[in-house]
Amino acid sequence: MKSLFLTAALPVLILAAGPALAEGGLTHAPGDPAAAAATNPPPHFPRDLTPEGVRAADDHLALEEVDGAEARAFVAASNEKALSALTGDRRYEPFRQQAEAILTATDRIPGVSFLGEGLGNFWQDAANPKGVWRRTTLDSYRTAQPQWETLLDIDALAKAEGRDWVFKGANCLAPDETRCLINLSDGGKDAVTVREFDLTTKTFVEGGFVIPEGKHRLTWLDRDTLLIATDFGPGTMTESGYPFIVKSLTRGHPLAHATEVYRGQQSDGGYGVSPMVFRDKAGTVEAVLFSRPLDTFRSEIWALAADGKPQKLNLPERVAVEGVMGARLIFSPDQDWTLRGVDYKAGSLVSLPLAALEAPESETAIDPHGTSDVIFAPRPRQSLQAVSVFSDSIVAVVADNVVGTLTRFTPQRGGGWAATPIAVPANSAVGLGDSSKAKGQVFVSTQGFLTPPTLSLADVATGALSELKSAPAKFDASTHVVEQFEATSTDGTKIPYFVTHPKDLAMDGTGPTILFGYGGFQASFPPAYKPEMGKLWLENGGVFVQANIRGGGEFGPGWHQAALRENRQRAFDDFAAVARDLEQRRITSPRHLGIYGRSNGGVLTSVSITQHPELFNAAVIESPLIDMLRYQDLPAGASWIGEYGDPRIPGDAEFIARYSAYQQLRPEVKYPRVYITTNTRDDRVHPGHARKFAARLGDQGHDHLYFEDTAGGHSNDADPVANARRWARHYVYLSQQLMD
């Protein structure tokens, strides 16, 4: 996944479409809402699309004040109505209990990472809702009942310090990994406080590194030095609220005394400059790089040279750095690219000497290269999904028509790379977990819509895959089957989608169906096991559809870039095509078709309502972007301009205004009764989007539900017990709309 914008484990569902994108611009089909808008604009459509004009047309700006009095009153009244409708339903309590049993089950696979000589795990259950960070040995982990040693109890820490701490991971210094940087979030926000922790004493280091709350980008350089990008004071953050300066911080020195080692520009986009330190299997530093984001997807990669000065590398602006192997950089260009007369295909995996990339492009290559530098080049309908780089080989997940395959690549003496398949179950999602160069091992997960996850350990030297854990089933999968179909979008593009449906489904259009997708940020959605969905939806006769629309990364960078900026309508058209294809196959019908989208999916679900309300009868719109003409002014919206465009630029504002749902709502249109939900402490997607959309629906007399939780952040990972309530609300609403 290329983006920080979403959490892949959380589903994002949508529908949509309207205007078809033609070569000369947008054209409109007969009866298209967008065509009507051209002659009869919605009542709150701005008279002019300048930021001032957009603001003047917005009658709910007060709801953008996160803790404002008007906002608090609106949330309180809306929550009372929503909870009455949802938690008062006879299904709510059974759903909540079932979801909590799944989310807190002790027979879940404990996800692990390499931690020194053992394995680390962060664990949450009913007894430890905030969780414990713990470790065990690999041998113990292989057993049915591993012996865990608690390193840090977050529940106890939060109680002792009177803080709503949420564990956001640890960064431990190789090779011994006894000193770690612990990330603690207040209430689940993206912003974290960083504190140094000693695994030998299991205590925070007295006088150790402590970084105050912020959206930091930091890593270890050595035991007494950090490379850190953070808020160093006025003028050191971009308009998105991310850092653009990297400094070296020495132990015992205050942040104010840190020494600058790299500087981008305040106008930079994306998620802030990131320092990257690559080490060999002994823990020795191989390379120090800085990624400077120009916008959401374009970046410059700089290397820290031997003289301590940064030097820009000759790399494409759209690139994913995967690792370092000795003196060579392993990377994937996200655009077709030529260096010194050699062409490299977008989505390929490439190995080039760092020295050659540091040299001016006009110079002769230090290490003459050609096709032997291409490790992998995708065929049509293939894409590179995950890469782990080792000292003498590479393991990669390659998606083939959306399902995962696993391959080991090894360099050959005569040049080129040998590709050796590693057997994994067919029709599965394949994921790479943590890897260890020192041990030559990487964790591999496999799962399917109806198949619970299995965690294995791959030995890179041999290519052998040994199973470690297999999760028990959390719902009865025997009643359902999975099929893959294709729909034809407006421009003729074939859009694949999966349908998980009852074996005995009557093909009469009555199947209660949730349509899932995402369509943004090059995020891919292969087949995946969703236990709460299986228990609360499939077991009750529901149908689940996952559509792999453009904007995602299922077929590589081109699939994503086809729906960027002015081409966003293609993603909406793709989902409309899937919705209509489901109806044509008699799997479901608009009366029984619902959609669920969160984060970027909130753009798509809200657009779906305004462009094609006739296609569906339910929409869960969660943690959404909706006001796309002001998203850049709501933190951290400006970081996504590379995806959506910049509404402050007249041409961009014009194409964004054609779909932005907040401005496109109409009082005379019959919309489905939607459920909008977000989180007060979401500091990634501002709660003002959801609040304002709900308020305008109410102003226009449209029935809707709005609920805002007070903690959890964008990822909803703060508390599994609270998360169970969240899923229960979702599925009660969907059952009411699609099954009742």
Side-chain angles (χ1 to χ4, degrees), residues 9 14 38 270 292 313 328 334 395 400 411 441 463 528 533 576 623 705 710 714:
I14 52 178
R292 175 202 171 194
L313 299 184
R328 301 179 75 88
D334 281 351
V395 174
D400 199 332
Q441 296 173 327
M533 183 275 294
S623 305
L705 297 174
T710 57
H714 189 69

Side-chain angles (χ1 to χ4, degrees), residues 239-240 269-270 295-297 521 564-565 631-632 636-649 652 656:
E239 67 170 338
S240 304
D295 63 24
T296 317
F297 303 105
F521 294 88
L564 285 180
R565 294 174 41 83
Y631 86 91
Q632 79 288 348
S639 61
W640 310 314
I641 283 173
E643 179 82 15
Y644 303 117
D646 189 343
R648 295 166 296 190
I649 299 173
D652 289 14
I656 292 170

